[in-house]
Amino acid sequence: MDKLFDLFMYPLEAAALRKRRRSLMRKAQGRTLEIGAGTGANFAYYRWDRINEIDVLDLSVGQAVRSYDGANGTPFHWHEGDVERLPFASGVFDTVVSTLVFCSVHDPARGLSEVRRVLNTGGTLIFIEHVRPHRQGFARVTDALNPLWHTLSGECNINRDTLRAIEKAGFVLRRTRRSTGGLLIDGTATRV
Ligand SMILES: C[S@@+](CC[C@H](N)C(=O)[O-])C[C@H]1O[C@@H](n2cnc3c(N)ncnc32)[C@H](O)[C@@H]1O
């Protein structure tokens, strides 16, 4: 299943995501949490010498991702759980990473509020998400297609305004970028 997901994602990965991951994941530092890590697509892009330890949380954590061994000794802690109820004390992380996750979280406001809670003040959220595009015509197409897409994809939404949701959760957006016709956003945000 993990291999199938990677195969399905390959065109988008090659066209845009790889470059965005490479540029952003090197900013992760200190005690880091990655939520919704899936098959571990970001692991190859971290600067492991800057990360003391990493917690990885997903609804389900497969054996393939657990066997990752490219971290040069950085301790990994694996968790099966929901971002809406993070099993961590408040303010313990310097960095939280979330890529292509908030499109399918049931209650994104609640999930983002949990991310904010576990970050320390001044801590950084690094994100890449696909979102509702800006151009009205295109945005309306995503609105119309979303119910069908949501059913077929198993809960993914193509018309969420995740950038706004991040701000509303109590983050200040630092560097943000839109690409792929406005469908992808990425950047960093600081917990205030
Ligand atoms: C599209 S995959 C993205 C995987 C990886 N982050 C990437 O960039 O390729 C979404 C991942 O988020 C996880 N996920 C979805 N909702 C979640 C939730 N509420 N809590 C934790 N993980 C969640 C899914 O299990 C899946 O592994």
Side-chain angles (χ1 to χ4, degrees):
M1 196 63 188
D2 285 357
K3 290 250 174 311
L4 251 180
F5 178 79
D6 284 346
L7 198 65
F8 176 74
M9 290 297 288
Y10 184 77
L12 186 61
E13 197 66 46
L17 284 172
R18 192 177 299 160
K19 208 168 156 198
R20 304 317 308 145
R21 294 188 202 275
R22 182 172 295 125
S23 153
L24 286 165
M25 297 314 140
R26 47 195 267 283
K27 299 179 194 299
Q29 55 84 35
R31 186 169 177 198
T32 296
L33 165 66
E34 179 165 347
I35 56 164
T39 58
N42 294 318
F43 294 171
Y45 303 103
Y46 287 128
R47 284 186 51 187
W48 291 107
D49 56 327
R50 290 165 49 95
I51 296 178
N52 314 337
E53 53 183 311
I54 185 163
D55 288 79
V56 179
L57 177 137
D58 201 302
L59 294 173
S60 151
V61 180
Q63 251 343 101
V65 68
R66 283 181 201 256
S67 63
Y68 182 79
D69 68 355
N72 298 321
T74 301
F76 270 70
H77 311 290
W78 304 99
H79 310 268
E80 288 201 333
D82 192 323
V83 66
E84 292 181 42
R85 286 173 294 279
L86 290 175
F88 309 108
S90 300
V92 293
F93 292 101
D94 302 294
T95 307
V96 175
V97 173
S98 167
T99 62
L100 310 176
V101 177
F102 280 100
C103 51
S104 54
V105 170
H106 179 67
D107 182 346
R110 185 171 170 154
L112 283 162
S113 142
E114 276 291 89
V115 168
R116 182 180 185 279
R117 179 182 66 75
V118 300
L119 270 171
N120 57 34
T121 305
T124 302
L125 168 63
I126 297 175
F127 60 88
I128 303 175
E129 295 288 346
H130 66 77
V131 293
R132 188 175 192 266
H134 261 170
R135 273 186 290 149
Q136 277 312 305
F138 195 11
R140 278 197 290 272
V141 172
T142 61
D143 292 341
L145 287 177
N146 196 57
L148 178 65
W149 177 259
H150 187 261
T151 306
L152 293 179
S153 66
E155 309 237 321
C156 173
N157 294 276
I158 48 175
N159 64 345
R160 284 191 169 164
D161 187 353
T162 303
L163 210 50
R164 180 80 192 104
I166 291 171
E167 277 187 307
K168 276 178 80 174
F171 289 90
V172 172
L173 298 172
R174 294 294 174 203
R175 301 176 65 178
T176 60
R177 196 172 176 281
R178 261 185 193 265
S179 57
T180 324
L183 277 174
L184 267 190
I185 54 156
D186 65 80
T188 60
T190 304
R191 179 224 201 270
V192 288

